[in-house]
């Protein structure tokens, strides 16, 4: 009996420990470390590194074409009167090597090197994109959690007021209308909490998917909505754009496409093949040993690699268009986000300095007046709702300010300390 009781207590203790671990809220850094190690899109991109790495390894050899070894054997019948065995064996061995004479190897190496650089930059860009996506989802969850805290606080106040209103109605000090208003307002607050909990589940589900957590594992987060103060200017962001991995990748892809075009153009010139051959030939007197050297070169008369040049030209044109449009669009997005950030900053400042303090003061005065019977419940409920609306506006404005800063720093290529730390 004692042993079974001890086992039950051990199970209870283990459950409580697991629950405590699960209930531990995630910080942004902890969430990022999980996402960076388990994101499938990032893993697929990292796996693709083997493709340009193999191309670069092939292009880095002393010669692009492998030498060809030729072996041959044949039987010759000797026309000799009276010979017991007129058949003789003949053997030959040769080696040939094809040489590119128009610089194709150099262009091939340049193209492979730029492709290898481009995928490394794509991986760096994917780290940054994943970090921006994760931070946006993290902030969305955090904002909804803070909204729920506000609604829970106001619900407790309304319930207190409702209890006091019921006493007043029973004593005949307040009308039944005032009592019904308190009940309705409390139900509205509960419905708002239910709606916010639904939003929280959706937001946590998206965050859990990015972090590749198990099913029904919805993380609770902890942190601050207010973004870190930045020191960069709009011109700094424009300048930083050139170093963004995504832009650098497009630049490398353009350079690779340019080298491939030069490669296709150089392939209009024929390759030179040199052969060394040694053979033995049977004769009446015995075997003759013959050594020879051969040179062959196709004549580029009918086919001039027009198809390869056309494809390479189209690829280069598309790469140039992609780089130009991405740079232009990024600058437009940065400028628009910069203006939005200035407007949101002003909104947050006004709410914190002008609106919310006065509403808090009004709420304190209204509570005292309501307890002293100087005002009715409807007036108190209006003030309480104004305070809740102001708190909601502050949370939404802080969230918008944080999101626009994430967008600015991602689009411009401003380095994220956490993203770079994991990458390195």
């Amino acid at each position: 009996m004692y042993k079974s009781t001890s086992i039950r207590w051990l199970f209870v203790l283990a459950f409580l420990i697991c629950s405590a671990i699960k209930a531990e809220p995630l910080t942004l850094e902890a969430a990022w470390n999980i996402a960076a190690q388990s994101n499938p899109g990032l893993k697929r991109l990292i796996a693709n590194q083997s493709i340009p790495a193999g191309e670069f390894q092939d292009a880095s050899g002393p010669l692009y074409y492998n030498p060809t070894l030729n072996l041959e054997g044949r039987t010759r019948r000797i026309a000799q009167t009276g010979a017991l065995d007129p058949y003789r064996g003949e053997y030959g061995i040769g080696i040939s090597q094809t040489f590119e004479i128009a610089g194709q190897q150099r262009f091939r190496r340049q193209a492979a090197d730029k492709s290898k650089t481009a995928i490394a930059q794509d991986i760096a860009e994917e780290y940054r994109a994943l970090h921006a996506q994760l931070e946006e989802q993290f902030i969305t969850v955090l904002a909804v959690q803070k909204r729920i805290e506000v609604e829970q606080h106001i619900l407790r106040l309304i319930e207190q007021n409702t209890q006091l209103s019921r006493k007043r109605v029973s004593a005949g000090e307040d009308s039944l209308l005032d009592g019904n208003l308190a009940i309705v307002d409390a139900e509205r607050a509960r419905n708002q909490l239910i709606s916010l909990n639904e939003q929280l589940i959706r937001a946590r589900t998206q965050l859990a998917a990015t972090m590749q957590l198990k099913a029904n594992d919805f993380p609770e987060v902890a942190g601050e909505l207010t973004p870190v103060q930045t020191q960069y200017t709009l011109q700094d962001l424009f300048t930083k754009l050139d170093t963004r991995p995504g832009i650098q990748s497009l630049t490398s892809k353009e350079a690779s496409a340019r080298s491939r075009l030069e490669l296709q153009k150089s392939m209009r010139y024929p390759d030179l093949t040199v052969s060394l051959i040694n053979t033995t030939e049977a004769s009446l007197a015995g075997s003759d040993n013959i050594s020879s050297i051969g040179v062959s070169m196709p004549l580029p008369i009918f086919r001039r690699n027009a198809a390869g040049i056309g494809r390479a030209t189209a690829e280069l044109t598309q790469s140039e268009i992609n780089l130009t449009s991405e740079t232009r669009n990024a600058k437009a997005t940065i400028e628009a986000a910069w203006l939005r950030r200035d407007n949101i900053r002003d909104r947050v400042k006004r709410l914190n300095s002008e609106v919310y303090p006065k509403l808090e003061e009004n709420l304190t005065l209204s509570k005292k007046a309501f307890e002293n019977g100087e005002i009715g419940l409807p007036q108190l409920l209006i003030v309480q709702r104004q305070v809740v609306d102001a708190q909601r506006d502050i949370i939404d404005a802080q969230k918008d300010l944080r999101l626009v800063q994430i967008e600015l720093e991602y689009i411009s290529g401003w380095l994220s300390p956490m993203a770079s730390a994991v990458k390195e």
Side-chain angles (χ1 to χ4, degrees), residues 116-147:
K116 185 179 176 182
T117 303
I119 196 167
Q121 292 162 341
D122 284 338
I123 292 173
E125 179 69 11
E126 184 66 19
Y127 268 106
R128 299 186 65 260
L130 176 62
H131 184 270
Q133 176 186 352
L134 178 80
E135 189 172 359
E136 288 178 352
Q137 294 172 344
F138 185 94
I139 293 303
T140 301
V141 172
L142 184 61
V144 178
Q145 287 181 180
K146 290 186 177 296
R147 283 279 308 279

PDB file of all heavy atoms in Angstrom, residues 116-147:
ATOM      1  N   LYS A 116      27.484  29.409 -56.352  1.00  0.00           N
ATOM      2  CA  LYS A 116      27.771  28.955 -54.997  1.00  0.00           C
ATOM      3  C   LYS A 116      27.609  30.098 -53.995  1.00  0.00           C
ATOM      4  O   LYS A 116      27.054  29.915 -52.900  1.00  0.00           O
ATOM      5  CB  LYS A 116      29.202  28.406 -54.951  1.00  0.00           C
ATOM      6  CG  LYS A 116      29.602  27.783 -53.630  1.00  0.00           C
ATOM      7  CD  LYS A 116      31.028  27.262 -53.725  1.00  0.00           C
ATOM      8  CE  LYS A 116      31.495  26.714 -52.378  1.00  0.00           C
ATOM      9  NZ  LYS A 116      32.897  26.237 -52.436  1.00  0.00           N
ATOM     10  N   THR A 117      28.074  31.274 -54.368  1.00  0.00           N
ATOM     11  CA  THR A 117      27.915  32.443 -53.499  1.00  0.00           C
ATOM     12  C   THR A 117      26.453  32.825 -53.357  1.00  0.00           C
ATOM     13  O   THR A 117      25.994  33.193 -52.260  1.00  0.00           O
ATOM     14  CB  THR A 117      28.713  33.629 -54.064  1.00  0.00           C
ATOM     15  OG1 THR A 117      30.078  33.265 -54.207  1.00  0.00           O
ATOM     16  CG2 THR A 117      28.609  34.841 -53.154  1.00  0.00           C
ATOM     17  N   ALA A 118      25.696  32.720 -54.449  1.00  0.00           N
ATOM     18  CA  ALA A 118      24.282  33.123 -54.437  1.00  0.00           C
ATOM     19  C   ALA A 118      23.468  32.268 -53.474  1.00  0.00           C
ATOM     20  O   ALA A 118      22.623  32.791 -52.735  1.00  0.00           O
ATOM     21  CB  ALA A 118      23.699  33.040 -55.847  1.00  0.00           C
ATOM     22  N   ILE A 119      23.704  30.958 -53.455  1.00  0.00           N
ATOM     23  CA  ILE A 119      22.893  30.119 -52.572  1.00  0.00           C
ATOM     24  C   ILE A 119      23.270  30.345 -51.113  1.00  0.00           C
ATOM     25  O   ILE A 119      22.412  30.255 -50.215  1.00  0.00           O
ATOM     26  CB  ILE A 119      23.003  28.630 -52.953  1.00  0.00           C
ATOM     27  CG1 ILE A 119      21.861  27.856 -52.302  1.00  0.00           C
ATOM     28  CG2 ILE A 119      24.346  28.048 -52.552  1.00  0.00           C
ATOM     29  CD1 ILE A 119      21.671  26.475 -52.841  1.00  0.00           C
ATOM     30  N   ALA A 120      24.525  30.673 -50.844  1.00  0.00           N
ATOM     31  CA  ALA A 120      24.907  31.027 -49.470  1.00  0.00           C
ATOM     32  C   ALA A 120      24.188  32.303 -49.034  1.00  0.00           C
ATOM     33  O   ALA A 120      23.731  32.425 -47.890  1.00  0.00           O
ATOM     34  CB  ALA A 120      26.423  31.199 -49.373  1.00  0.00           C
ATOM     35  N   GLN A 121      24.063  33.254 -49.950  1.00  0.00           N
ATOM     36  CA  GLN A 121      23.340  34.486 -49.640  1.00  0.00           C
ATOM     37  C   GLN A 121      21.832  34.232 -49.528  1.00  0.00           C
ATOM     38  O   GLN A 121      21.147  34.878 -48.724  1.00  0.00           O
ATOM     39  CB  GLN A 121      23.640  35.526 -50.722  1.00  0.00           C
ATOM     40  CG  GLN A 121      25.090  36.011 -50.682  1.00  0.00           C
ATOM     41  CD  GLN A 121      25.527  36.678 -51.969  1.00  0.00           C
ATOM     42  OE1 GLN A 121      24.915  36.491 -53.020  1.00  0.00           O
ATOM     43  NE2 GLN A 121      26.606  37.447 -51.905  1.00  0.00           N
ATOM     44  N   ASP A 122      21.309  33.291 -50.319  1.00  0.00           N
ATOM     45  CA  ASP A 122      19.894  32.922 -50.191  1.00  0.00           C
ATOM     46  C   ASP A 122      19.611  32.331 -48.812  1.00  0.00           C
ATOM     47  O   ASP A 122      18.550  32.580 -48.225  1.00  0.00           O
ATOM     48  CB  ASP A 122      19.510  31.915 -51.273  1.00  0.00           C
ATOM     49  CG  ASP A 122      19.331  32.561 -52.636  1.00  0.00           C
ATOM     50  OD1 ASP A 122      19.084  33.782 -52.686  1.00  0.00           O
ATOM     51  OD2 ASP A 122      19.426  31.852 -53.654  1.00  0.00           O
ATOM     52  N   ILE A 123      20.531  31.544 -48.309  1.00  0.00           N
ATOM     53  CA  ILE A 123      20.357  30.955 -46.981  1.00  0.00           C
ATOM     54  C   ILE A 123      20.361  32.052 -45.914  1.00  0.00           C
ATOM     55  O   ILE A 123      19.545  32.047 -44.986  1.00  0.00           O
ATOM     56  CB  ILE A 123      21.458  29.914 -46.713  1.00  0.00           C
ATOM     57  CG1 ILE A 123      21.270  28.707 -47.632  1.00  0.00           C
ATOM     58  CG2 ILE A 123      21.461  29.473 -45.252  1.00  0.00           C
ATOM     59  CD1 ILE A 123      22.395  27.702 -47.571  1.00  0.00           C
ATOM     60  N   ALA A 124      21.297  33.007 -46.053  1.00  0.00           N
ATOM     61  CA  ALA A 124      21.333  34.127 -45.107  1.00  0.00           C
ATOM     62  C   ALA A 124      20.038  34.928 -45.170  1.00  0.00           C
ATOM     63  O   ALA A 124      19.510  35.362 -44.138  1.00  0.00           O
ATOM     64  CB  ALA A 124      22.536  35.020 -45.417  1.00  0.00           C
ATOM     65  N   GLU A 125      19.509  35.116 -46.376  1.00  0.00           N
ATOM     66  CA  GLU A 125      18.240  35.840 -46.527  1.00  0.00           C
ATOM     67  C   GLU A 125      17.086  35.051 -45.918  1.00  0.00           C
ATOM     68  O   GLU A 125      16.182  35.631 -45.303  1.00  0.00           O
ATOM     69  CB  GLU A 125      17.972  36.096 -48.018  1.00  0.00           C
ATOM     70  CG  GLU A 125      16.676  36.816 -48.316  1.00  0.00           C
ATOM     71  CD  GLU A 125      16.678  38.270 -47.867  1.00  0.00           C
ATOM     72  OE1 GLU A 125      17.755  38.800 -47.515  1.00  0.00           O
ATOM     73  OE2 GLU A 125      15.592  38.874 -47.857  1.00  0.00           O
ATOM     74  N   GLU A 126      17.129  33.736 -46.064  1.00  0.00           N
ATOM     75  CA  GLU A 126      16.063  32.899 -45.488  1.00  0.00           C
ATOM     76  C   GLU A 126      16.089  32.968 -43.966  1.00  0.00           C
ATOM     77  O   GLU A 126      15.033  32.979 -43.318  1.00  0.00           O
ATOM     78  CB  GLU A 126      16.230  31.454 -45.965  1.00  0.00           C
ATOM     79  CG  GLU A 126      15.130  30.514 -45.516  1.00  0.00           C
ATOM     80  CD  GLU A 126      13.783  30.826 -46.116  1.00  0.00           C
ATOM     81  OE1 GLU A 126      13.734  31.531 -47.153  1.00  0.00           O
ATOM     82  OE2 GLU A 126      12.752  30.376 -45.564  1.00  0.00           O
ATOM     83  N   TYR A 127      17.276  33.020 -43.379  1.00  0.00           N
ATOM     84  CA  TYR A 127      17.390  33.211 -41.929  1.00  0.00           C
ATOM     85  C   TYR A 127      16.704  34.513 -41.514  1.00  0.00           C
ATOM     86  O   TYR A 127      15.936  34.550 -40.544  1.00  0.00           O
ATOM     87  CB  TYR A 127      18.862  33.261 -41.510  1.00  0.00           C
ATOM     88  CG  TYR A 127      19.455  31.934 -41.115  1.00  0.00           C
ATOM     89  CD1 TYR A 127      20.346  31.277 -41.955  1.00  0.00           C
ATOM     90  CD2 TYR A 127      19.140  31.335 -39.903  1.00  0.00           C
ATOM     91  CE1 TYR A 127      20.902  30.053 -41.596  1.00  0.00           C
ATOM     92  CE2 TYR A 127      19.696  30.121 -39.539  1.00  0.00           C
ATOM     93  CZ  TYR A 127      20.578  29.485 -40.388  1.00  0.00           C
ATOM     94  OH  TYR A 127      21.126  28.278 -40.035  1.00  0.00           O
ATOM     95  N   ARG A 128      16.969  35.571 -42.252  1.00  0.00           N
ATOM     96  CA  ARG A 128      16.405  36.872 -41.904  1.00  0.00           C
ATOM     97  C   ARG A 128      14.892  36.891 -42.115  1.00  0.00           C
ATOM     98  O   ARG A 128      14.147  37.456 -41.326  1.00  0.00           O
ATOM     99  CB  ARG A 128      17.072  37.970 -42.727  1.00  0.00           C
ATOM    100  CG  ARG A 128      18.582  38.078 -42.485  1.00  0.00           C
ATOM    101  CD  ARG A 128      19.175  39.270 -43.210  1.00  0.00           C
ATOM    102  NE  ARG A 128      18.646  40.508 -42.670  1.00  0.00           N
ATOM    103  CZ  ARG A 128      17.673  41.220 -43.213  1.00  0.00           C
ATOM    104  NH1 ARG A 128      17.113  40.825 -44.340  1.00  0.00           N
ATOM    105  NH2 ARG A 128      17.241  42.324 -42.659  1.00  0.00           N
ATOM    106  N   ALA A 129      14.430  36.278 -43.217  1.00  0.00           N
ATOM    107  CA  ALA A 129      12.991  36.230 -43.484  1.00  0.00           C
ATOM    108  C   ALA A 129      12.270  35.423 -42.404  1.00  0.00           C
ATOM    109  O   ALA A 129      11.183  35.805 -41.943  1.00  0.00           O
ATOM    110  CB  ALA A 129      12.734  35.631 -44.867  1.00  0.00           C
ATOM    111  N   LEU A 130      12.876  34.304 -42.007  1.00  0.00           N
ATOM    112  CA  LEU A 130      12.285  33.481 -40.952  1.00  0.00           C
ATOM    113  C   LEU A 130      12.244  34.247 -39.634  1.00  0.00           C
ATOM    114  O   LEU A 130      11.248  34.190 -38.896  1.00  0.00           O
ATOM    115  CB  LEU A 130      13.087  32.191 -40.797  1.00  0.00           C
ATOM    116  CG  LEU A 130      12.664  31.258 -39.661  1.00  0.00           C
ATOM    117  CD1 LEU A 130      11.231  30.784 -39.867  1.00  0.00           C
ATOM    118  CD2 LEU A 130      13.614  30.069 -39.554  1.00  0.00           C
ATOM    119  N   HIS A 131      13.311  34.975 -39.349  1.00  0.00           N
ATOM    120  CA  HIS A 131      13.347  35.749 -38.103  1.00  0.00           C
ATOM    121  C   HIS A 131      12.283  36.838 -38.114  1.00  0.00           C
ATOM    122  O   HIS A 131      11.601  37.068 -37.106  1.00  0.00           O
ATOM    123  CB  HIS A 131      14.724  36.365 -37.902  1.00  0.00           C
ATOM    124  CG  HIS A 131      14.852  37.095 -36.593  1.00  0.00           C
ATOM    125  ND1 HIS A 131      14.552  38.426 -36.454  1.00  0.00           N
ATOM    126  CD2 HIS A 131      15.219  36.662 -35.358  1.00  0.00           C
ATOM    127  CE1 HIS A 131      14.733  38.795 -35.199  1.00  0.00           C
ATOM    128  NE2 HIS A 131      15.143  37.744 -34.520  1.00  0.00           N
ATOM    129  N   ALA A 132      12.123  37.529 -39.243  1.00  0.00           N
ATOM    130  CA  ALA A 132      11.104  38.577 -39.331  1.00  0.00           C
ATOM    131  C   ALA A 132       9.704  37.985 -39.175  1.00  0.00           C
ATOM    132  O   ALA A 132       8.856  38.540 -38.457  1.00  0.00           O
ATOM    133  CB  ALA A 132      11.226  39.304 -40.671  1.00  0.00           C
ATOM    134  N   GLN A 133       9.446  36.859 -39.831  1.00  0.00           N
ATOM    135  CA  GLN A 133       8.142  36.207 -39.714  1.00  0.00           C
ATOM    136  C   GLN A 133       7.875  35.762 -38.278  1.00  0.00           C
ATOM    137  O   GLN A 133       6.779  35.976 -37.740  1.00  0.00           O
ATOM    138  CB  GLN A 133       8.081  35.004 -40.648  1.00  0.00           C
ATOM    139  CG  GLN A 133       6.792  34.198 -40.538  1.00  0.00           C
ATOM    140  CD  GLN A 133       6.820  32.933 -41.377  1.00  0.00           C
ATOM    141  OE1 GLN A 133       7.742  32.715 -42.154  1.00  0.00           O
ATOM    142  NE2 GLN A 133       5.828  32.093 -41.222  1.00  0.00           N
ATOM    143  N   LEU A 134       8.885  35.159 -37.651  1.00  0.00           N
ATOM    144  CA  LEU A 134       8.726  34.689 -36.273  1.00  0.00           C
ATOM    145  C   LEU A 134       8.483  35.853 -35.326  1.00  0.00           C
ATOM    146  O   LEU A 134       7.608  35.788 -34.460  1.00  0.00           O
ATOM    147  CB  LEU A 134       9.979  33.921 -35.857  1.00  0.00           C
ATOM    148  CG  LEU A 134       9.954  33.418 -34.410  1.00  0.00           C
ATOM    149  CD1 LEU A 134       9.129  32.149 -34.303  1.00  0.00           C
ATOM    150  CD2 LEU A 134      11.355  33.175 -33.885  1.00  0.00           C
ATOM    151  N   GLU A 135       9.235  36.942 -35.508  1.00  0.00           N
ATOM    152  CA  GLU A 135       9.074  38.085 -34.607  1.00  0.00           C
ATOM    153  C   GLU A 135       7.698  38.717 -34.778  1.00  0.00           C
ATOM    154  O   GLU A 135       7.062  39.130 -33.794  1.00  0.00           O
ATOM    155  CB  GLU A 135      10.173  39.116 -34.858  1.00  0.00           C
ATOM    156  CG  GLU A 135      10.207  40.222 -33.815  1.00  0.00           C
ATOM    157  CD  GLU A 135      11.403  41.138 -33.958  1.00  0.00           C
ATOM    158  OE1 GLU A 135      12.239  40.903 -34.863  1.00  0.00           O
ATOM    159  OE2 GLU A 135      11.514  42.089 -33.166  1.00  0.00           O
ATOM    160  N   GLU A 136       7.200  38.804 -36.010  1.00  0.00           N
ATOM    161  CA  GLU A 136       5.858  39.342 -36.230  1.00  0.00           C
ATOM    162  C   GLU A 136       4.805  38.488 -35.533  1.00  0.00           C
ATOM    163  O   GLU A 136       3.896  39.003 -34.878  1.00  0.00           O
ATOM    164  CB  GLU A 136       5.574  39.420 -37.726  1.00  0.00           C
ATOM    165  CG  GLU A 136       6.332  40.517 -38.446  1.00  0.00           C
ATOM    166  CD  GLU A 136       6.062  40.516 -39.935  1.00  0.00           C
ATOM    167  OE1 GLU A 136       5.401  39.555 -40.423  1.00  0.00           O
ATOM    168  OE2 GLU A 136       6.493  41.455 -40.621  1.00  0.00           O
ATOM    169  N   GLN A 137       4.925  37.158 -35.665  1.00  0.00           N
ATOM    170  CA  GLN A 137       3.962  36.267 -35.015  1.00  0.00           C
ATOM    171  C   GLN A 137       4.097  36.332 -33.500  1.00  0.00           C
ATOM    172  O   GLN A 137       3.089  36.284 -32.779  1.00  0.00           O
ATOM    173  CB  GLN A 137       4.171  34.838 -35.515  1.00  0.00           C
ATOM    174  CG  GLN A 137       3.842  34.659 -36.989  1.00  0.00           C
ATOM    175  CD  GLN A 137       4.241  33.300 -37.520  1.00  0.00           C
ATOM    176  OE1 GLN A 137       5.021  32.578 -36.889  1.00  0.00           O
ATOM    177  NE2 GLN A 137       3.730  32.934 -38.679  1.00  0.00           N
ATOM    178  N   PHE A 138       5.316  36.442 -33.012  1.00  0.00           N
ATOM    179  CA  PHE A 138       5.557  36.549 -31.571  1.00  0.00           C
ATOM    180  C   PHE A 138       4.898  37.815 -31.018  1.00  0.00           C
ATOM    181  O   PHE A 138       4.223  37.770 -29.981  1.00  0.00           O
ATOM    182  CB  PHE A 138       7.066  36.567 -31.318  1.00  0.00           C
ATOM    183  CG  PHE A 138       7.458  36.566 -29.868  1.00  0.00           C
ATOM    184  CD1 PHE A 138       7.741  35.376 -29.217  1.00  0.00           C
ATOM    185  CD2 PHE A 138       7.559  37.753 -29.156  1.00  0.00           C
ATOM    186  CE1 PHE A 138       8.111  35.364 -27.888  1.00  0.00           C
ATOM    187  CE2 PHE A 138       7.918  37.749 -27.820  1.00  0.00           C
ATOM    188  CZ  PHE A 138       8.202  36.559 -27.178  1.00  0.00           C
ATOM    189  N   ILE A 139       5.086  38.932 -31.702  1.00  0.00           N
ATOM    190  CA  ILE A 139       4.515  40.200 -31.244  1.00  0.00           C
ATOM    191  C   ILE A 139       2.986  40.159 -31.311  1.00  0.00           C
ATOM    192  O   ILE A 139       2.298  40.709 -30.443  1.00  0.00           O
ATOM    193  CB  ILE A 139       5.071  41.361 -32.083  1.00  0.00           C
ATOM    194  CG1 ILE A 139       6.563  41.528 -31.815  1.00  0.00           C
ATOM    195  CG2 ILE A 139       4.340  42.651 -31.792  1.00  0.00           C
ATOM    196  CD1 ILE A 139       6.917  41.756 -30.353  1.00  0.00           C
ATOM    197  N   THR A 140       2.434  39.494 -32.323  1.00  0.00           N
ATOM    198  CA  THR A 140       0.978  39.370 -32.418  1.00  0.00           C
ATOM    199  C   THR A 140       0.429  38.603 -31.220  1.00  0.00           C
ATOM    200  O   THR A 140      -0.580  39.003 -30.617  1.00  0.00           O
ATOM    201  CB  THR A 140       0.595  38.658 -33.725  1.00  0.00           C
ATOM    202  OG1 THR A 140       1.089  39.414 -34.835  1.00  0.00           O
ATOM    203  CG2 THR A 140      -0.908  38.514 -33.852  1.00  0.00           C
ATOM    204  N   VAL A 141       1.091  37.493 -30.855  1.00  0.00           N
ATOM    205  CA  VAL A 141       0.662  36.731 -29.678  1.00  0.00           C
ATOM    206  C   VAL A 141       0.784  37.580 -28.420  1.00  0.00           C
ATOM    207  O   VAL A 141      -0.134  37.612 -27.574  1.00  0.00           O
ATOM    208  CB  VAL A 141       1.498  35.443 -29.544  1.00  0.00           C
ATOM    209  CG1 VAL A 141       1.195  34.728 -28.223  1.00  0.00           C
ATOM    210  CG2 VAL A 141       1.221  34.506 -30.702  1.00  0.00           C
ATOM    211  N   LEU A 142       1.887  38.285 -28.287  1.00  0.00           N
ATOM    212  CA  LEU A 142       2.116  39.110 -27.103  1.00  0.00           C
ATOM    213  C   LEU A 142       1.060  40.211 -26.982  1.00  0.00           C
ATOM    214  O   LEU A 142       0.553  40.489 -25.888  1.00  0.00           O
ATOM    215  CB  LEU A 142       3.517  39.714 -27.165  1.00  0.00           C
ATOM    216  CG  LEU A 142       3.972  40.541 -25.950  1.00  0.00           C
ATOM    217  CD1 LEU A 142       3.987  39.667 -24.701  1.00  0.00           C
ATOM    218  CD2 LEU A 142       5.356  41.128 -26.203  1.00  0.00           C
ATOM    219  N   ALA A 143       0.707  40.827 -28.103  1.00  0.00           N
ATOM    220  CA  ALA A 143      -0.298  41.894 -28.074  1.00  0.00           C
ATOM    221  C   ALA A 143      -1.659  41.360 -27.650  1.00  0.00           C
ATOM    222  O   ALA A 143      -2.372  42.000 -26.850  1.00  0.00           O
ATOM    223  CB  ALA A 143      -0.391  42.552 -29.454  1.00  0.00           C
ATOM    224  N   VAL A 144      -2.043  40.198 -28.154  1.00  0.00           N
ATOM    225  CA  VAL A 144      -3.342  39.619 -27.768  1.00  0.00           C
ATOM    226  C   VAL A 144      -3.331  39.246 -26.287  1.00  0.00           C
ATOM    227  O   VAL A 144      -4.325  39.447 -25.572  1.00  0.00           O
ATOM    228  CB  VAL A 144      -3.668  38.391 -28.643  1.00  0.00           C
ATOM    229  CG1 VAL A 144      -4.992  37.771 -28.211  1.00  0.00           C
ATOM    230  CG2 VAL A 144      -3.753  38.783 -30.108  1.00  0.00           C
ATOM    231  N   GLN A 145      -2.210  38.705 -25.802  1.00  0.00           N
ATOM    232  CA  GLN A 145      -2.119  38.390 -24.374  1.00  0.00           C
ATOM    233  C   GLN A 145      -2.309  39.643 -23.517  1.00  0.00           C
ATOM    234  O   GLN A 145      -3.012  39.599 -22.501  1.00  0.00           O
ATOM    235  CB  GLN A 145      -0.749  37.757 -24.077  1.00  0.00           C
ATOM    236  CG  GLN A 145      -0.603  36.331 -24.582  1.00  0.00           C
ATOM    237  CD  GLN A 145       0.750  35.723 -24.254  1.00  0.00           C
ATOM    238  OE1 GLN A 145       1.024  34.582 -24.587  1.00  0.00           O
ATOM    239  NE2 GLN A 145       1.621  36.474 -23.599  1.00  0.00           N
ATOM    240  N   LYS A 146      -1.698  40.737 -23.920  1.00  0.00           N
ATOM    241  CA  LYS A 146      -1.834  41.972 -23.148  1.00  0.00           C
ATOM    242  C   LYS A 146      -3.254  42.515 -23.236  1.00  0.00           C
ATOM    243  O   LYS A 146      -3.775  43.084 -22.266  1.00  0.00           O
ATOM    244  CB  LYS A 146      -0.813  43.004 -23.634  1.00  0.00           C
ATOM    245  CG  LYS A 146       0.627  42.646 -23.278  1.00  0.00           C
ATOM    246  CD  LYS A 146       1.587  43.747 -23.642  1.00  0.00           C
ATOM    247  CE  LYS A 146       3.017  43.391 -23.204  1.00  0.00           C
ATOM    248  NZ  LYS A 146       3.146  43.276 -21.739  1.00  0.00           N
ATOM    249  N   ARG A 147      -3.898  42.350 -24.401  1.00  0.00           N
ATOM    250  CA  ARG A 147      -5.300  42.760 -24.521  1.00  0.00           C
ATOM    251  C   ARG A 147      -6.176  41.956 -23.568  1.00  0.00           C
ATOM    252  O   ARG A 147      -7.103  42.501 -22.945  1.00  0.00           O
ATOM    253  CB  ARG A 147      -5.764  42.557 -25.956  1.00  0.00           C
ATOM    254  CG  ARG A 147      -5.287  43.601 -26.955  1.00  0.00           C
ATOM    255  CD  ARG A 147      -6.152  44.866 -26.881  1.00  0.00           C
ATOM    256  NE  ARG A 147      -7.553  44.550 -26.989  1.00  0.00           N
ATOM    257  CZ  ARG A 147      -8.208  44.326 -28.142  1.00  0.00           C
ATOM    258  NH1 ARG A 147      -7.550  44.387 -29.286  1.00  0.00           N
ATOM    259  NH2 ARG A 147      -9.493  44.064 -28.148  1.00  0.00           N
TER     260      ARG A 147
END
